[in-house]
Amino acid sequence: MNNIALARAFFEIADLMELNGENPFRANAYRRAGRAIEMLPEDVEEIFERGEIRKVPGIGAALAEKVGEWLSTNEIQYLEELRQQVPPGVVEMTKIAGVGPKLARRFYAELGITTIDELEKACRKRKIRTLRGMGARTEWNIIRGIQALRERGNQIPLGVALPVAREIQAHLELLPQVKQVDLAGDLRRRREMLDKLDLVVTGIDPEEILSLLPGLAEVEEIIAKNADSIRLRLKSGPELEIVAAAPESYWWTLWKATGSSEHVAQVLALAEERGLAVVGKKGLEPTASLVEVLGEAELYQLLGLPFIPPEIREGEGELTAARQGLLPQLVELSDIRGDLHCHSRWSDGVMTLEELAQAAAAKGYEYVAVCDHSQSLTVANGLSVERLRAQHRDIQEVNEKLDNIQLLSGIEVDILTDGSLDLPDSILAERDVVVASIHSGFRQDVEQLTMRVMKAMENPHVDIIGHPTGRLLGRRDPYAIDMERVIEMAAKTGTALEINASPDRLDLNDVNAQAAKEAGVKIVINTDAHSQPELDNMHLGLSVARRAWLTKDNVVNTWSLKEVKEYLSRK
DNA sequence: GCCGTTTTCGGCCCGACTGTTTTCAGTCG
């Protein structure tokens, strides 16, 4: 699919236009078009070939031409020109919280600052306050913002890393000499943020991989290379390490590279304890005999253990649990029978209700809940009581028409700053599913935020708390909320907590989801999809659930429609 | 730059919050 790359080019144009102080509405047109392309259910090239690109909302004559230019040359001249006009460091500055395009541009234009380092120095030398409208507070906030940015380092979210790694994997798989390629390391264990993408490959050596660059990946620099591995830094930030293994020891290399180091050490210690490590040929490393085992499953079997899935190989008690026969049967993607939080055109989604239902049916689901935003979220075209009633009629019509899926009527109701809900109880009572979420007042203190969510859970109509900590991976920290108390209240009131599978969120995270499970709280894995492609993000939420040791029973949307309906009506 | 029309121009999503001001500009969701 070309869609993501093209959308990214349009987003970059929009950012650069804003930095250049161009008409913000023009810039926004690029951003809107980028979003539209990102959400297309098919490859933009096919639509373009059919001559239907102008039918995509937000794409007119000028942008249609740029789509064509990009498809034929893989470049947009206008973007190249913009890149010449603004130093990359100035673009970087807008990543600092509190610094937008206007400020970055002023720092550049009025003080000649072209990098984040220079900006920090200017703050410390009290130069920013010489600008009109800036004071000591501004300088302090910028320094704090820069520190927060540095702490995040070059990590990228799982949802961004996976497609990058899979593309490289697909490239390698196409080579005739390559026998096998797998994801390894933090990526295979599905950690939420990654600073290194690991791959293991057999049939090709590092020298040959080097010769395939740059067709393989966008490489910033080569960090290291030796006989059996190569490390690069990708332009998108993270490192990439490819380990080349001999065919006969492929699985062994993959197993070691999957880690974590604690898990590997614990397994090897157990092997030694069982006397297995010394069975091998004389003079070899103690662990070498294990190479004679055929694969990962056999390795664990040899040690008297069930297979330990990669997601929980953290060295945090999984071996002990396995030895005691207490390893849970982790929930699988194929267990998922529905999605209980999706948006439609009624608020800020792009699908009609029927399109949403059909898309969910195509995924083999039994049910899907439309949970559009409520009235106070005006930016997202939130629904009033009247519009919600009208939507309900629309839902009934779709359900009468389709017999392979049940469209549930839901709502994502805002938890207002005082903890009350954005819609009256009477209308919430009419809905099948009520997701309550916070979208405002992020800066309240821990007491206020915790009380808001706890109050919402006390409402008998609230079934699920949506994205409970409000974080955006790599961009915004969770708001101050006491999850311990939230989980306690969820258990007490029988409210489910959401694992929001959006690649930007993954909220709850694995730690909180595990704590919820232990407190007896049910989890729902929702995609929060606003478009058809986003329904496919379910696997990301699932990886969080697996890392949290969740089973099918813990996850509401693995249950049948009947069971889900019973659950939703019992509170 | 798009779009719809009271159709070739004028509006485009908008309100809360912050830090600086003393009436506002910029950021953020």
Side-chain angles (χ1 to χ4, degrees), chain A residues 341-359:
Chain A
H341 178 181
C342 298
H343 293 266
S344 77
R345 277 192 203 172
W346 280 84
S347 65
D348 59 347
V350 299
M351 292 178 281
T352 64
L353 293 180
E354 189 174 340
E355 283 165 353
L356 169 61
Q358 295 280 23

Side-chain angles (χ1 to χ4, degrees), chain A residues 19-21 85-87 90 93 101-115 118-119 128 131:
Chain A
L19 275 166
N20 272 344
Q85 290 166 28
V86 187
V90 180
M93 281 181 219
K102 293 272 165 57
L103 285 184
R105 180 157 179 261
R106 281 189 68 194
F107 297 148
Y108 175 48
E110 296 178 32
L111 293 172
I113 293 170
T114 59
T115 66
E118 286 173 22
L119 178 60
I128 299 299
L131 300 181

Side-chain angles (χ1 to χ4, degrees), chain A residues 313-363:
Chain A
R313 293 183 200 165
E314 291 291 341
E316 287 171 358
E318 68 276 8
L319 244 65
T320 312
R323 289 172 84 169
Q324 294 169 345
L326 297 175
L327 213 56
Q329 181 72 41
L330 300 185
V331 58
E332 313 245 359
L333 190 56
S334 57
D335 294 329
I336 299 292
R337 291 160 89 159
D339 197 330
L340 294 177
H341 178 181
C342 298
H343 293 266
S344 77
R345 277 192 203 172
W346 280 84
S347 65
D348 59 347
V350 299
M351 292 178 281
T352 64
L353 293 180
E354 189 174 340
E355 283 165 353
L356 169 61
Q358 295 280 23
K363 295 188 72 64

